[in-house]
């Protein structure tokens, strides 16, 4: 059955349509073309013509012209719009006119850069010129590294490798840095939050070293649609950036279907599990022979879905699995093997985390099933963009989970089609992040007195590091004066520098994956079920000191889910504003978190079948927080129960809606309710950045909290449940029967309040 | 919350505050017994010692180096003056005994990477004991990268009856440019440089320092020989660890008293910077001096080992000697050395099966290459009779009987015996033939069956 036929059938299936909240058909779009800009090298034009490209999409030509004019450019275009050519063109043009020129390409992940290499090779092959392109990442062999350093015109790498492998060894890369003309940063919108704040500093270090060797590179960035691409780009590169967002590429017909699983218990507001619905839909597509990718939000869900789909869709005896898993924690070889299977077509279905959302070209996928809102609308479009390229019909189904944000978005389809409200936020000046990169920068080149890191002065930090015995100040410079290699201890990806290694001890001990430190207490505590490639492993011992988790393969019918107990102490208030009803603050807090227990949740039924204690040390964090204290004028008439319900409900709702606008993972912004606030004595809601020093989330929250209150109000008022459910204020049995009404009342008041 | 408190939560490790802050460019560290030399880029500080060449270091006089046969030393360091034997096929036992042979597999058969030497240096032009500058550096860390500084450059060379030791010292970071230029000037006086692990560590670090100070044009290009490579080839079999400290203890009977452990050297330098008191860093100078002297005498000890009669060497040393000559293409000498391993003089300690097997494999192949087929086949039969777990004698005998003796039946029985041996080996050691080995055996067996049928 073809995809068209399947869609036709679904269109006539009343039970399917009953759950569809929106079915948008994006008509096919004609290409808008422009001639090659005047300064395009004739050899390049000829090579492109030979490959059937006689003119450029309008945005490609515009990007080329802006770059030739010497501007930094950020290009905002959807998947499959030829953005790769948009930056390859000016780069190759420059190298053709001056073969000593060098360019550096940064991709957020390794797998992506492998793919880039193939595309670029083709174009260079067609050119027939001696232009050398290399991928430099953790998988590059030592002998190849030497060649790359000397000869590579275009070096393709990722920020992590730039951070630990290139910048601290910059003398080995003299040819690159002396002649660095362009830095291409693909997938800009990925560089937000912690990762983006780190990368902003890595770029400061890059520019500092380029300046040392006498070069000042131009930046070419690409981004998915977000609300503030130019702001994000300018913050990261600390320069003016020109925005290009008009897309000239053609597209095939695309169906976007928003699907809300049916309510199975009206009173409790319980809907069918999105995971089960996604499985059902995926099977329907796979059985019709439609190549389908199913996205799940977490590693856990990927593994669970994979188990489900393989049960129902086994690869025949002796044959390879036709449904494969794909996620970040897999080791490189595993990943490459899966990517190859996809390209060669022996794999029909893929279950993936967001790792595949990045622009990896996996060929013939026709349909994408997105299980739960993936955290940003940009991600929805990128995941949807995995299915269907420039021609032909494709379909994407977003299956809402019962999470409040999913419920909010599934009933607001305009957010998917209108202008994106999502902000990409970074805070490269986060003291902790800045301090770490100041160390790295001092290791790379001594700081001169008064020299900053990028536009940020770091005098205080340098003096502090001297006190700490890391630097030595002499003859007006600050020299690295300790025997450590700072970049090695600093991870760009996670809040903590160390990752836990998962060691499988079922047979000969072997490493099967890694988990970052923040996730460790909840994912790999002793007793946890850790899933990897559809296999279950139980954590037998967590060696907290040495960052190792020892696991053994098991076969059980449940997964585990852990809980944390959190305390908050306010240290300093930076901003505040008050009304009669509430006081709002932004400031520094000290958070103390202690993992307490975990639940065992049965597969399929998702019922709770047991629990266990977690014995891990308490973690402390100093970070930025937004907090809201409700004044007696607002809550005075409420009963104790109502008040409790309102604070819990508010926490549940706001904690879930805010990440949408701040474009962060819900884990990046933690929400903690206090019925009797320790700071003001009144009921208080805290939302803090879950990274030391903050990454700009709660600070921005202080500015846009009213928008969030009104969205939360929308959500709770529109929820079909009676007394609260997981989709709005939380399940009634947890927040109390009066919570829904009380929360709604508080939100209405807050949305209408007048500020002093 | 102040910066310190906030950052205190970062968990910085090193907590001792820096003192001894100084901006004075020209000074002599308190108690520094060396010299200060003015240069256009600033002052240079060094300690110079002229030692009589007949001074003993451990159990050998320094002068023993002057008496070494330069050509042999040069070849020992992997400088054959001619391309080393190209692309030697690994022996079967090397494939199966990966763990044992790991160093062999990692290193090229002989000679480290030559591509970085000029043709003149590769040819050994002007090579003599007096043409060599000995190099050993002390640094602020082992991690490498641009934030690791070289703070002590130890250089040594022979002049007449003396050995001159010069230790260039960095009394503070900003005085790096004059130090580098002075070191470069000294280096340019010598066509060759000898170090221990300098190819991987000291030299790249020095290059980095030159580049960072924009002094790349000053960088000399000596013919750099790294003694670590020959040391491993010569003594890994017999001594295991080829660290300089182990080699000097065992081979030279050097006893260091109050020596600084290497890992403490950076922190002593940081202490020195805080207090600018020479006594803090003096032990590092002594350590560096001793390393240099050990390098001199170790090199002479290595050459001498080749002049010693085979009878006086251990089996391991004879195996190393055999490999060395084999790599140089001096097959007769290699054969003598291997024969000495297999048939030592009476009263020698029992040979380990591993050592026996590897020597026999190499010797038998050399016999074969030299056309000494009778001796080769005798040795292979001995190996098979002694129950070897090596595939080589079976395969070689099968080849011999098939092609030379034209006896396919006998050849087939050997292939079958090899397959049987594979099962035994699997039972004993748990290792298997590689797919390629199996494929080859099966292919050979088929061909033999075919021949036998046609007869
Ligand atoms: Zn509800």
């Amino acid at each position: 059955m073809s995809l068209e036929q399947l869609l036709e059938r679904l269109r006539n299936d009343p039970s399917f349509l009953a759950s569809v909240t929106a079915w948008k058909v994006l008509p096919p779009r004609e290409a808008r073309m422009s001639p090659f800009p005047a300064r395009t090298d004739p050899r390049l034009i000829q090579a492109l013509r030979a490959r059937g490209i006689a003119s450029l999409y309008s945005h490609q030509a515009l990007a080329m012209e802006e770059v030739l004019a010497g501007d930094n450019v950020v290009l905002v275009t959807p998947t499959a719009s030829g953005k790769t050519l948009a930056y390859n063109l000016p780069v190759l043009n420059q190298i053709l006119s001056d073969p000593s020129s060098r360019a550096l390409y940064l991709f957020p992940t390794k797998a992506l850069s492998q793919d880039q290499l193939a595309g670029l090779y083709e174009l260079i092959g067609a050119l027939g010129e001696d232009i050398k392109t290399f991928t430099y990442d953790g998988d590059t062999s030592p002998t190849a590294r030497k060649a790359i350093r000397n000869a590579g015109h275009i070096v393709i790498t990722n920020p992590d490798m730039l951070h630990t492998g290139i910048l601290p060894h910059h003398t080995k890369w003299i040819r690159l840095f002396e002649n660095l003309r362009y830095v291409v940063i693909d997938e800009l919108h990925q560089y937000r939050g912690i990762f983006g704040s780190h990368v902003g500093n890595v770029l400061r270090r890059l520019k500092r070293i380029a300046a040392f060797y006498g070069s000042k590179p131009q930046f070419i960035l690409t981004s998915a649609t977000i609300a503030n691409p130019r702001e994000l780009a300018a913050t990261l590169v600390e320069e003016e950036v020109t925005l290009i967002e008009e897309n000239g590429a053609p597209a095939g017909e695309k169906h976007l279907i928003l699907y809300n699983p049916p309510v199975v218990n009206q009173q409790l507001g319980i809907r069918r599990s999105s995971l089960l619905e996604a499985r059902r839909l995926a099977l329907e597509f796979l059985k019709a022979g439609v190549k389908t990718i199913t996205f799940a939000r977490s590693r856990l869900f990927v593994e669970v879905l994979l188990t489900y789909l393989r049960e129902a869709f086994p690869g025949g005896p002796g044959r390879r699995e036709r449904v494969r898993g794909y996620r970040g924690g897999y080791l490189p070889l595993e990943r490459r093997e899966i990517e190859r299977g996809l390209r060669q077509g022996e794999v029909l279905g893929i279950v993936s985390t967001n790792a595949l959302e990045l622009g990896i070209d996996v060929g013939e996928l026709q349909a994408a099933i997105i299980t739960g809102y993936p955290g940003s609308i940009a991600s929805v479009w990128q995941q949807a963009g995995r299915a269907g390229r420039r021609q032909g019909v494709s379909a994407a189904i977003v299956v809402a989970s019962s999470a409040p944000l999913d419920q909010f978005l599934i009933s607001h389809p305009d957010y998917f089609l209108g202008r994106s409200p999502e902000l990409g936020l970074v805070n490269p000046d986060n003291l902790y992040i800045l301090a770490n990169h100041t160390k790295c920068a001092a290791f790379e080149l001594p700081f001169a007195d008064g020299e900053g890191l990028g536009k940020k002065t770091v005098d205080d930090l340098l003096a502090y590091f001297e006190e700490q015995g890391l630097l030595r100040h002499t003859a007006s410079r600050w020299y690295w004066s300790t025997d450590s290699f700072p970049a090695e201890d600093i991870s760009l990806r996670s809040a903590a520098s160390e990752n836990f290694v998962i060691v499988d001890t079922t047979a000969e001990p072997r490493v099967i994956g890694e988990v970052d430190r923040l996730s460790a207490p909840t994912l790999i505590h002793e007793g946890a079920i850790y899933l990897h490639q559809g296999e279950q492993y139980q954590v037998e011992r967590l060696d907290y000191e040495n960052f190792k988790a020892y696991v053994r393969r098991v076969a059980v019918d449940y997964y585990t889910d852990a809980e944390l107990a959190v305390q908050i102490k306010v240290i300093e208030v930076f901003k505040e504003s008050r009304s009669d009803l509430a006081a709002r603050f932004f400031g520094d807090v000290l958070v103390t978190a202690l993992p307490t227990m975990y639940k065992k949740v049965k597969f399929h039924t998702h019922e709770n079948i047991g629990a266990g204690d977690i014995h891990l040390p308490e973690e402390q964090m100093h970070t930025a927080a937004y907090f809201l204290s409700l004044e007696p004028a607002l809550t005075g008439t409420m009963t104790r129960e109502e008040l409790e319900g309102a604070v819990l409900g508010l926490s549940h709702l706001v904690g879930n809606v805010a990440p949408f606008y701040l474009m962060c993972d819900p884990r990046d912004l933690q929400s903690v309710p206090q019925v009797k606030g320790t700071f003001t004595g009144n009921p208080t809601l805290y939302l803090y950045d879950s990274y030391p020093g903050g990454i700009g989330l709660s600070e921005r929250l202080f500015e846009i909290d009213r928008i969030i209150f009104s969205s939360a109000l929308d959500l709770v008022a529109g929820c079909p449940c009676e007394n609260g459910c997981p989709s709005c204020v939380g399940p009634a049995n947890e927040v109390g029967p009066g919570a829904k009404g009380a929360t709604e009342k508080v939100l209405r008041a807050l949305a209408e309040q007048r500020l002093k | 919350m102040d910066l310190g408190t906030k950052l205190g939560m970062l968990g910085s490790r090193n907590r001792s505050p820096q003192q001894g802050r100084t901006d004075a460019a020209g000074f002599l560290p308190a108690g520094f017994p060396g010299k200060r030399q003015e240069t256009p880029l600033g002052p240079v500080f060094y300690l110079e010692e002229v030692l009589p060449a007949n001074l003993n270091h451990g159990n050998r006089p320094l002068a023993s180096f002057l008496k070494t046969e330069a050509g042999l030393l040069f070849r020992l360091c992997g400088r054959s003056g001619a391309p080393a034997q190209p692309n030697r096929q690994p022996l079967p036992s090397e494939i199966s005994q990966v763990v044992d042979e790991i160093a062999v597999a990692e290193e090229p058969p002989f000679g480290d990477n030559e591509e970085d030497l000029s043709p003149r240096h590769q040819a050994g032009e002007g090579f003599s004991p007096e043409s060599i500058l000995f190099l050993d550096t002390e640094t602020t860390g082992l991690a490498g990268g641009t934030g690791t500084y070289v703070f002590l450059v130890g250089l040594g060379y022979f002049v007449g009856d003396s050995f001159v030791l010069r230790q260039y010292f960095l009394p503070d970071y900003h005085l790096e440019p004059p130090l580098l230029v002075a070191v470069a000037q000294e280096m340019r006086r010598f066509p060759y440089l000898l170090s221990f692990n300098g190819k991987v560590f000291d030299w790249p670090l020095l290059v980095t320092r030159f580049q960072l100070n924009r002094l790349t044009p000053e960088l000399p290009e000596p013919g750099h020989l790294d003694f670590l490579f020959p040391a491993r080839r010569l003594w890994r079999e017999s001594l295991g660890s080829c660290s300089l400290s182990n080699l000097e203890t065992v081979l030279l009977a050097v006893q260091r008293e109050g020596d600084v452990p290497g890992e403490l050297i950076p922190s002593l330098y940081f202490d020195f910077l805080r207090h600018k008191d020479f006594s803090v860093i003096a032990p590092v100078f002594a350590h560096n001096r001793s390393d240099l002297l050990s390098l001199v005498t170790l090199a002479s000890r290595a050459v001498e080992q080749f002049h010693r009669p085979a009878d006086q060497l251990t089996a391991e040393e004879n195996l190393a000697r055999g490999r060395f000559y084999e790599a140089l293409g001096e097959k007769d000498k290699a054969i003598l050395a291997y024969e000495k391993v297999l048939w030592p003089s009476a009263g020698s300690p029992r040979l380990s099966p591993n050592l026996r097997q590897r020597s026999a494999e190499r010797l038998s192949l050399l016999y074969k290459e030299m056309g000494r087929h009778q001796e080769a086949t005798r040795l292979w039969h001995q190996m098979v009779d002694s129950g070897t777990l090596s595939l080589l004698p079976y395969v070689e005998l099968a080849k011999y009987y098939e092609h030379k003796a034209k006896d396919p039946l006998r050849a087939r029985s050997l292939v079958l015996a090899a397959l049987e041996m594979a099962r035994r080996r699997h039972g004993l050691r748990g290792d298997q033939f590689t797919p390629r080995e199996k494929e080859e055996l099966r292919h050979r067996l088929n061909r033999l069956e075919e021949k036998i049928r046609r007869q």
Side-chain angles (χ1 to χ4, degrees), chain A residues 273-283 286 293-313 323-326 349-353 369-372 399 531 533-534 559 603-604 606:
Chain A
S273 141
S274 59
L275 215 55
L276 298 177
E277 289 293 272
R279 171 181 67 160
R280 201 172 57 76
L281 292 168
L283 278 175
L286 290 171
I293 181 160
T294 309
F295 289 99
R297 267 194 296 218
S298 65
R299 290 179 186 189
L300 182 76
F301 279 16
V302 166
E303 300 295 352
V304 170
L305 258 177
L306 198 57
T307 313
Y308 286 166
L309 286 180
R310 281 185 180 164
E311 269 172 26
F313 202 86
V323 181
R324 302 293 299 268
Y326 187 105
I350 291 284
V351 184
S352 172
T353 53
I369 293 169
I370 301 167
T371 315
V399 181
L531 291 130
Q533 269 288 16
Y559 60 90
F603 280 136
H604 302 283
H606 297 242

Side-chain angles (χ1 to χ4, degrees), chain A residues 719 721 724-725 727-729 740:
Chain A
C719 190
C721 71
C725 71
S727 307
C728 57
V729 294
K740 192 178 181 188

